[in-house]
Amino acid sequence: MKWVLYISDFMIPLIIFGILVYGLLKKINIFDVFIEGAKGSVNTILTIMPTLIGLMVAVGIIRASGALDMIERGLKPLLKFTSFPSELIPLTILRSISASASLGLVLDLFKQYGPDSFIGRLISVMMGCTETIFYTMSVYFMSIGIKKTRYTLAGAILANLAGVIASFYITIWVFGR
Amino acid sequence: MLNYLWGFMILIGIIVATFTGTMGEVTQAAINSSKEAVQICITLLGVLAFWMGIMKIAEKSGLISGLTNKIRPILRFLFPDVPDGHDAQKYIATNLIANVLGLGWAATPPGLLAMKALQKLNLKKNEASNAMCMFLIVNISSVQLISVNIIAYRSQYGSANPSEVIGPSLLATCISTVTAIIFGKIMERRKRS
């Protein structure tokens, strides 16, 4: 097994262990605090749910109509020289525009190919290392009235691109195709 | 943005369906997808509740604020224009730690406060400072340690090992963040136009 997969197995238990030990050492009522924090998830879910329903319906419709397949097929010749799956191009682009819209597409791809397929694994890795560009930039810069963003956009696109390329090769390296 | 995107997806879908003769499937998809969204929310609720509970312990025990102090040397390197101990430094630290731990909802408020504090240090008020550019590029490069949501979605769609992507994802995140920092540092050296 590759060491990267050890990280996968150990990460969550390790974080939980560390946090619990720290909490006990600081004499916190860990279970009470846990309950208090866990309660917050209901509100989070209630805000996510309508968005998710709206977007999954939209993605479901565009997928069922055959339009998404047309886009993917149209993009195929462009990617002939790389081995990057054309199914992921709409996702890669949408990811930089809107987090929730790209989420709808991710779930659709999980359904189409299964989360343990090459595509399923690749999008899982990809979603973990990229972030929405335009949304984040507009919220942060607009809040303080900045008009000239200089090299932020270029840097953000470059970072996301590096993330996508890295995800692609890392997924092949760790899981094979 | 989302208004157009959302409308566009549905309208295109319906228009294409009239040509491909898939109107029945489109209707089915609309009904099934909304049902599925609710199922996903239920899976997500479980994972999220557990994770938010654990993170509350990290917050209440002072672990998160402790980490915030520990990353100061990194912040000095990333934001040389921000004086040590300045408010901006504190907010940036809180934002980055929240992002690393995957607490997206907790990252935005300190993030916006950081921008406000950076604006006070900024000489040209309508132009982004080096520190602002660096802050946003690093933020967008994603510094998340674990994406619990993705793990929940993978489990919902029947993955045999939903968490197997943590390691690869972490590696990819490091690469994108290092790329972001190198780019930011190179651009910083160049004279402001």
Side-chain angles (χ1 to χ4, degrees), chain B:
Chain B
M1 192 63 162
L2 200 52
N3 291 313
Y4 289 111
L5 207 60
W6 186 68
F8 183 76
M9 282 199 281
I10 295 181
L11 296 180
I12 289 285
I14 293 173
I15 293 167
V16 171
T18 56
F19 292 107
T20 51
T22 48
M23 210 50 104
E25 282 92 326
V26 164
T27 311
Q28 275 303 317
I31 296 164
N32 289 338
S33 301
S34 44
K35 209 167 64 187
E36 220 176 292
V38 176
Q39 284 164 354
I40 286 167
C41 282
I42 291 170
T43 310
L44 193 59
L45 179 62
V47 179
L48 208 59
F50 176 69
W51 197 245
M52 283 176 77
I54 293 290
M55 285 306 158
K56 195 76 181 178
I57 299 174
E59 188 195 314
K60 276 271 165 81
S61 61
L63 187 62
I64 291 182
S65 50
L67 285 175
T68 308
N69 286 328
K70 289 239 168 61
I71 65 167
R72 264 201 191 167
I74 303 173
L75 296 184
R76 268 197 293 267
F77 167 73
L78 288 180
F79 310 101
D81 301 339
V82 178
D84 222 8
H86 191 270
D87 272 355
Q89 201 184 39
K90 196 177 74 197
Y91 294 133
I92 292 173
T94 314
N95 168 276
L96 289 183
I97 294 286
N99 270 325
V100 166
L101 296 174
L103 309 167
W105 63 90
T108 311
L112 294 176
L113 287 173
M115 288 304 271
K116 209 180 267 176
L118 288 175
Q119 179 72 321
K120 279 192 195 134
L121 295 171
N122 194 6
L123 300 172
K124 291 184 189 161
K125 296 294 178 200
N126 66 342
E127 206 176 299
S129 64
N130 283 339
M132 289 176 186
C133 294
M134 182 60 101
F135 179 54
L136 276 187
I137 296 173
V138 168
N139 237 304
I140 291 171
S141 79
S142 171
V143 287
Q144 201 170 356
L145 218 50
I146 293 173
S147 166
V148 268
N149 296 27
I150 285 291
I151 296 171
Y153 303 140
R154 288 173 55 80
S155 129
Q156 172 69 28
Y157 283 101
S159 167
N161 184 0
S163 64
E164 68 184 0
V165 294
I166 295 176
S169 193
L170 194 59
L171 205 59
T173 294
C174 287
I175 292 174
S176 71
T177 304
V178 168
T179 309
I181 293 173
I182 293 173
F183 180 82
K185 281 285 162 196
I186 292 172
M187 297 308 282
E188 215 174 82
R189 297 251 163 90
R190 293 172 59 174
K191 255 183 133 187
R192 278 179 84 154
S193 50

Side-chain angles (χ1 to χ4, degrees), chain A residues 158-177:
Chain A
L158 185 75
N160 268 3
L161 203 64
V164 170
I165 295 169
S167 305
F168 180 60
Y169 287 107
I170 290 170
T171 308
I172 293 176
W173 172 59
V174 177
F175 301 110
R177 290 204 75 151

